[in-house]
Amino acid sequence: MTDASPALEGTPLIKPSTTDHPLHEAVVEACRSVYDPEIPVNIFDLGLVYTIDINTENEVNVLMTLTAPGCPVAGEMPGWVADAIEPLDGVKHVNVELVWEPMWGMDMMSDEAKLELGFM
């Protein structure tokens, strides 16, 4: 028996966000205020924010990644995201976790980001 259990077939690679929570849009806009210093597009439209989970206590948990593990701001970016979300009215607590699976790819960018960066 191995420690690692295979992912269940049909299980999403990225946990779905809590899009029906009243704070969701405000949290998305806060994420859009954070930019990767090397790319002139916000981290939400770059596809770096994988999951925004907001529970009934208004605690916000964000799963995000970076364009590359060696990103020079790897240690700082989660703090920037938390600092952008924490002041929002109604937010009780923010936790931002950096994840590396699934690996980020250019296909995760919004059409707006692709257009701005000249990929469309």
Side-chain angles (χ1 to χ4, degrees), residues 57-95:
E57 302 297 316
N58 290 353
E59 296 168 329
V60 180
N61 290 294
V62 176
L63 296 179
M64 67 170 292
T65 195
L66 300 172
T67 54
C71 178
V73 295
E76 299 172 59
M77 183 92 60
W80 297 348
V81 174
D83 288 346
I85 298 169
E86 280 174 348
L88 296 176
D89 250 359
V91 170
K92 183 175 180 182
H93 175 76
V94 179
N95 177 55

Side-chain angles (χ1 to χ4, degrees), residues 16-86:
S17 291
T18 317
T19 56
D20 58 348
H21 194 284
L23 285 172
H24 183 263
E25 284 305 313
V27 171
V28 166
E29 287 310 309
C31 289
R32 282 193 166 120
S33 74
V34 179
Y35 283 74
D36 182 316
E38 296 179 337
I39 305 170
V41 174
N42 70 74
I43 63 165
F44 190 84
D45 288 328
L46 274 177
L48 298 180
V49 176
Y50 284 170
T51 304
I52 297 171
D53 184 41
I54 310 168
N55 68 20
T56 56
E57 302 297 316
N58 290 353
E59 296 168 329
V60 180
N61 290 294
V62 176
L63 296 179
M64 67 170 292
T65 195
L66 300 172
T67 54
C71 178
V73 295
E76 299 172 59
M77 183 92 60
W80 297 348
V81 174
D83 288 346
I85 298 169
E86 280 174 348

